[in-house]
Amino acid sequence: MESATPVIVAIDGPAGTGKSSTSKAVAAQLGLSYLDTGAQYRAITWWMVNNGIDIDDPSAIAAAAGKPEIVSGTDPEAPTITVDGVDVAGPIRTQEVSAKVSAVSAVPEVRARITELQRSIAASAANGIVVEGRDIGTTVLPDADLKIFLTASAEARAARRSGELKGADVQSTREALIKRDAADSSRKTSPLAKADDAVEVDTTELTLAQVIECVVTLVEEKRAGK
C-alpha cells in the first residue's frame, strides 16, 4: 500500500455508531495512519479534572487550554495518547471523563487548540490518514478527500456502547448518548453535523465487518479516482 496515493478520510458521527472500530480497521487494512480526535478531547478533559479546573467555568477551561501537552500516536494497530508524557489511554475512558467531555469540548479555546493539533497530524501523515470525530468533515478537515458520516439508531448505539462498558445499563447508556448528542449538536463552536458532501452510512442493521467493507470500498474508489 505504500505506493498508493495518500488520501485523507474524515469519519464523523455520534457515539456508538462504530466510528472507532471502523476507522482503525480501515486505516490498518489500507496502510493509512489513524487519529481518534475524541481521545484528544477526553485527554484534555482528563487533564482539567486532574488539575482541579472548574469544569462549570468556561473561562477557567479557556485559560488552561494551552497548558497540557497532548501527543497522539497514529498507528491504527496500536494508537496511543499521552498527556505531559503520561499514558492516559485507560483513564480517559472513565465515566467521569465521559460525563464532562462535552462541557470542555464546547469551549472555543479548547476546540481551537485541538483542531490545530489535528490539522498538523493530518498534514504530516505521509501515506494518508483516517481521522474520526464529530466535526472533522465540517471544521477540522473541510478539504478531506472523502467524508463519511456514520449513523445508527439510538437503541443500536446504546446496545453497542453498553457492551463496551462492561455491566452498563442499556437504558441509562441510551439516555446518556442522547444527552451527549444534544450537547454536541447544539454547541456554538463546531457542532456535530454531517458535511454537505459526506457519504452517510447507516450502521444500525450492519455488522462491523460490513461497515468496514463499505468504507474500505468508498476509500478505494476515491483513491482510484484521484
Side-chain angles (χ1 to χ4, degrees):
M1 286 293 169
E2 300 298 313
S3 59
T5 310
V7 62
I8 292 179
V9 182
I11 299 185
D12 289 305
T17 51
K19 278 201 313 283
S20 294
S21 305
T22 300
S23 301
K24 275 188 278 203
V26 169
Q29 205 168 314
L30 295 176
L32 304 172
S33 294
Y34 160 76
L35 178 61
D36 174 359
T37 63
Q40 295 176 314
Y41 284 107
R42 284 174 172 274
I44 201 166
T45 301
W46 174 87
W47 184 92
M48 298 274 176
V49 169
N50 269 16
N51 284 273
I53 308 297
D54 183 355
I55 302 300
D56 296 320
D57 181 356
S59 60
I61 293 172
K67 292 181 180 176
E69 185 193 1
I70 297 167
V71 178
S72 298
T74 58
D75 176 359
E77 306 279 7
T80 57
I81 184 148
T82 62
V83 179
D84 296 336
V86 177
D87 176 1
V88 294
I92 63 171
R93 302 293 170 185
T94 61
Q95 201 56 50
E96 183 183 22
V97 171
S98 296
K100 294 175 176 174
V101 68
S102 285
V104 174
S105 303
V107 176
E109 288 81 359
V110 169
R111 296 207 78 79
R113 162 88 200 284
I114 301 292
T115 295
E116 184 184 354
L117 185 59
Q118 290 162 0
R119 286 176 177 157
S120 68
I121 291 169
S124 63
N127 289 346
I129 190 168
V130 177
V131 183
E132 59 134 316
R134 282 166 153 70
D135 65 338
I136 310 307
T138 51
T139 302
V140 180
L141 300 169
D143 297 324
D145 300 306
L146 176 64
K147 300 175 190 178
I148 294 168
F149 193 84
L150 297 184
T151 62
S153 71
E155 288 70 24
R157 291 163 47 215
R160 288 172 193 163
R161 187 44 64 93
S162 58
E164 291 165 15
L165 307 167
K166 302 291 179 261
D169 173 61
V170 175
Q171 187 57 34
S172 60
T173 302
R174 179 176 179 272
E175 286 164 12
L177 284 176
I178 290 171
K179 187 176 172 187
R180 173 102 191 263
D181 291 347
D184 290 347
S185 302
S186 60
R187 64 169 177 244
K188 291 188 173 66
T189 309
S190 304
L192 164 66
K194 175 176 174 263
D196 293 336
D197 54 348
V199 178
E200 185 167 322
V201 178
D202 188 331
T203 70
T204 305
E205 302 292 334
L206 301 177
T207 63
L208 178 58
Q210 288 171 320
V211 179
I212 293 165
E213 185 184 0
C214 171
V215 174
V216 164
T217 302
L218 287 168
V219 177
E220 286 179 331
E221 285 172 357
K222 175 58 72 173
R223 204 147 63 167
K226 278 190 76 176

Short mmCIF file of all heavy atoms in Angstrom, two decimals, residues 44 47-48 53-68 100 103-110:
data_model
loop_
_atom_site.label_atom_id
_atom_site.label_comp_id
_atom_site.label_asym_id
_atom_site.label_seq_id
_atom_site.Cartn_x
_atom_site.Cartn_y
_atom_site.Cartn_z
N ILE A 44 -7.73 16.14 27.17
CA ILE A 44 -7.67 17.49 27.75
C ILE A 44 -8.67 17.61 28.90
O ILE A 44 -8.42 18.30 29.89
CB ILE A 44 -7.86 18.58 26.67
CG1 ILE A 44 -7.30 19.92 27.15
CG2 ILE A 44 -9.30 18.72 26.23
CD1 ILE A 44 -7.13 20.96 26.06
N TRP A 47 -7.09 15.99 31.91
CA TRP A 47 -6.09 16.90 32.48
C TRP A 47 -6.77 17.98 33.32
O TRP A 47 -6.32 18.30 34.42
CB TRP A 47 -5.26 17.53 31.36
CG TRP A 47 -4.15 18.40 31.86
CD1 TRP A 47 -2.86 18.02 32.12
CD2 TRP A 47 -4.21 19.80 32.18
NE1 TRP A 47 -2.14 19.09 32.58
CE2 TRP A 47 -2.93 20.19 32.63
CE3 TRP A 47 -5.23 20.75 32.13
CZ2 TRP A 47 -2.66 21.50 33.03
CZ3 TRP A 47 -4.96 22.05 32.53
CH2 TRP A 47 -3.68 22.42 32.96
N MET A 48 -7.86 18.54 32.81
CA MET A 48 -8.60 19.59 33.54
C MET A 48 -9.11 19.05 34.88
O MET A 48 -8.95 19.70 35.93
CB MET A 48 -9.81 20.07 32.72
CG MET A 48 -9.46 20.70 31.38
SD MET A 48 -9.08 22.46 31.51
CE MET A 48 -8.59 22.80 29.81
N ILE A 53 -9.36 22.09 37.57
CA ILE A 53 -10.01 23.18 36.84
C ILE A 53 -11.52 23.01 36.96
O ILE A 53 -12.04 21.90 36.83
CB ILE A 53 -9.61 23.13 35.33
CG1 ILE A 53 -8.09 23.09 35.16
CG2 ILE A 53 -10.22 24.30 34.58
CD1 ILE A 53 -7.33 24.28 35.67
N ASP A 54 -12.23 24.10 37.21
CA ASP A 54 -13.69 24.05 37.37
C ASP A 54 -14.34 23.84 36.00
O ASP A 54 -14.34 24.73 35.15
CB ASP A 54 -14.18 25.37 38.00
CG ASP A 54 -15.68 25.35 38.26
OD1 ASP A 54 -16.35 24.37 37.88
OD2 ASP A 54 -16.19 26.34 38.83
N ILE A 55 -14.90 22.64 35.80
CA ILE A 55 -15.48 22.28 34.51
C ILE A 55 -16.72 23.13 34.20
O ILE A 55 -17.15 23.25 33.05
CB ILE A 55 -15.84 20.77 34.49
CG1 ILE A 55 -14.61 19.92 34.76
CG2 ILE A 55 -16.49 20.35 33.18
CD1 ILE A 55 -13.48 20.07 33.75
N ASP A 56 -17.31 23.73 35.24
CA ASP A 56 -18.50 24.56 35.02
C ASP A 56 -18.13 26.01 34.71
O ASP A 56 -19.01 26.86 34.56
CB ASP A 56 -19.40 24.54 36.28
CG ASP A 56 -19.94 23.13 36.54
OD1 ASP A 56 -20.30 22.45 35.56
OD2 ASP A 56 -19.97 22.72 37.71
N ASP A 57 -16.84 26.29 34.61
CA ASP A 57 -16.38 27.66 34.36
C ASP A 57 -15.61 27.72 33.02
O ASP A 57 -14.42 27.44 32.98
CB ASP A 57 -15.48 28.12 35.51
CG ASP A 57 -14.99 29.55 35.34
OD1 ASP A 57 -15.28 30.16 34.29
OD2 ASP A 57 -14.30 30.05 36.25
N PRO A 58 -16.31 28.08 31.94
CA PRO A 58 -15.67 28.11 30.62
C PRO A 58 -14.42 28.98 30.56
O PRO A 58 -13.46 28.65 29.85
CB PRO A 58 -16.77 28.66 29.70
CG PRO A 58 -18.04 28.33 30.38
CD PRO A 58 -17.75 28.43 31.85
N SER A 59 -14.41 30.07 31.34
CA SER A 59 -13.24 30.96 31.29
C SER A 59 -12.02 30.28 31.93
O SER A 59 -10.88 30.47 31.48
CB SER A 59 -13.53 32.30 31.96
OG SER A 59 -13.87 32.10 33.32
N ALA A 60 -12.26 29.48 32.96
CA ALA A 60 -11.15 28.74 33.60
C ALA A 60 -10.62 27.67 32.65
O ALA A 60 -9.40 27.47 32.54
CB ALA A 60 -11.64 28.09 34.90
N ILE A 61 -11.53 27.01 31.96
CA ILE A 61 -11.13 25.99 30.97
C ILE A 61 -10.34 26.66 29.85
O ILE A 61 -9.28 26.16 29.43
CB ILE A 61 -12.37 25.28 30.39
CG1 ILE A 61 -13.05 24.44 31.49
CG2 ILE A 61 -12.00 24.39 29.20
CD1 ILE A 61 -14.39 23.85 31.07
N ALA A 62 -10.84 27.80 29.36
CA ALA A 62 -10.17 28.51 28.27
C ALA A 62 -8.76 28.93 28.66
O ALA A 62 -7.81 28.79 27.88
CB ALA A 62 -10.99 29.75 27.88
N ALA A 63 -8.61 29.39 29.90
CA ALA A 63 -7.31 29.87 30.38
C ALA A 63 -6.28 28.74 30.45
O ALA A 63 -5.08 28.95 30.28
CB ALA A 63 -7.46 30.52 31.74
N ALA A 64 -6.77 27.52 30.68
CA ALA A 64 -5.86 26.38 30.84
C ALA A 64 -5.67 25.57 29.56
O ALA A 64 -4.84 24.66 29.51
CB ALA A 64 -6.39 25.46 31.95
N ALA A 65 -6.42 25.90 28.52
CA ALA A 65 -6.46 25.07 27.31
C ALA A 65 -5.10 24.83 26.66
O ALA A 65 -4.86 23.78 26.07
CB ALA A 65 -7.42 25.68 26.28
N GLY A 66 -4.20 25.79 26.80
CA GLY A 66 -2.90 25.66 26.15
C GLY A 66 -1.85 24.94 26.97
O GLY A 66 -0.74 24.72 26.50
N LYS A 67 -2.18 24.58 28.20
CA LYS A 67 -1.16 24.03 29.11
C LYS A 67 -0.75 22.58 28.87
O LYS A 67 0.43 22.27 28.81
CB LYS A 67 -1.62 24.23 30.56
CG LYS A 67 -1.64 25.70 30.97
CD LYS A 67 -2.09 25.88 32.41
CE LYS A 67 -2.11 27.36 32.79
NZ LYS A 67 -2.63 27.55 34.16
N PRO A 68 -1.72 21.64 28.77
CA PRO A 68 -1.29 20.24 28.63
C PRO A 68 -0.65 19.94 27.28
O PRO A 68 -1.10 20.47 26.25
CB PRO A 68 -2.59 19.45 28.80
CG PRO A 68 -3.67 20.41 28.44
CD PRO A 68 -3.18 21.76 28.82
N LYS A 100 -17.97 14.70 31.42
CA LYS A 100 -17.51 16.09 31.40
C LYS A 100 -16.94 16.55 30.06
O LYS A 100 -16.70 17.74 29.86
CB LYS A 100 -16.46 16.30 32.50
CG LYS A 100 -17.08 16.14 33.89
CD LYS A 100 -16.06 16.21 35.00
CE LYS A 100 -16.78 16.15 36.36
NZ LYS A 100 -15.85 16.06 37.48
N ALA A 103 -18.75 19.43 27.99
CA ALA A 103 -18.59 20.78 28.53
C ALA A 103 -17.23 21.37 28.17
O ALA A 103 -17.12 22.53 27.76
CB ALA A 103 -18.78 20.77 30.05
N VAL A 104 -16.20 20.55 28.28
CA VAL A 104 -14.84 21.01 27.96
C VAL A 104 -14.72 21.25 26.45
O VAL A 104 -14.18 22.25 25.99
CB VAL A 104 -13.78 20.00 28.44
CG1 VAL A 104 -12.40 20.41 27.97
CG2 VAL A 104 -13.82 19.90 29.97
N SER A 105 -15.27 20.31 25.67
CA SER A 105 -15.18 20.40 24.20
C SER A 105 -15.91 21.61 23.63
O SER A 105 -15.60 22.05 22.53
CB SER A 105 -15.79 19.15 23.56
OG SER A 105 -15.15 17.99 24.01
N ALA A 106 -16.89 22.11 24.36
CA ALA A 106 -17.69 23.23 23.85
C ALA A 106 -16.95 24.56 23.94
O ALA A 106 -17.35 25.55 23.32
CB ALA A 106 -19.00 23.31 24.63
N VAL A 107 -15.88 24.62 24.72
CA VAL A 107 -15.14 25.88 24.91
C VAL A 107 -14.31 26.18 23.66
O VAL A 107 -13.47 25.38 23.26
CB VAL A 107 -14.24 25.79 26.17
CG1 VAL A 107 -13.40 27.05 26.33
CG2 VAL A 107 -15.10 25.54 27.42
N PRO A 108 -14.55 27.33 23.02
CA PRO A 108 -13.88 27.65 21.75
C PRO A 108 -12.36 27.55 21.80
O PRO A 108 -11.74 27.08 20.84
CB PRO A 108 -14.33 29.08 21.46
CG PRO A 108 -15.65 29.21 22.15
CD PRO A 108 -15.54 28.37 23.39
N GLU A 109 -11.76 27.96 22.90
CA GLU A 109 -10.29 27.92 23.00
C GLU A 109 -9.77 26.48 22.98
O GLU A 109 -8.70 26.20 22.45
CB GLU A 109 -9.83 28.62 24.28
CG GLU A 109 -9.96 30.13 24.26
CD GLU A 109 -11.36 30.63 24.57
OE1 GLU A 109 -12.30 29.81 24.78
OE2 GLU A 109 -11.55 31.87 24.60
N VAL A 110 -10.55 25.58 23.59
CA VAL A 110 -10.18 24.16 23.57
C VAL A 110 -10.27 23.62 22.15
O VAL A 110 -9.37 22.95 21.66
CB VAL A 110 -11.09 23.33 24.52
CG1 VAL A 110 -10.89 21.83 24.30
CG2 VAL A 110 -10.84 23.71 25.97
#
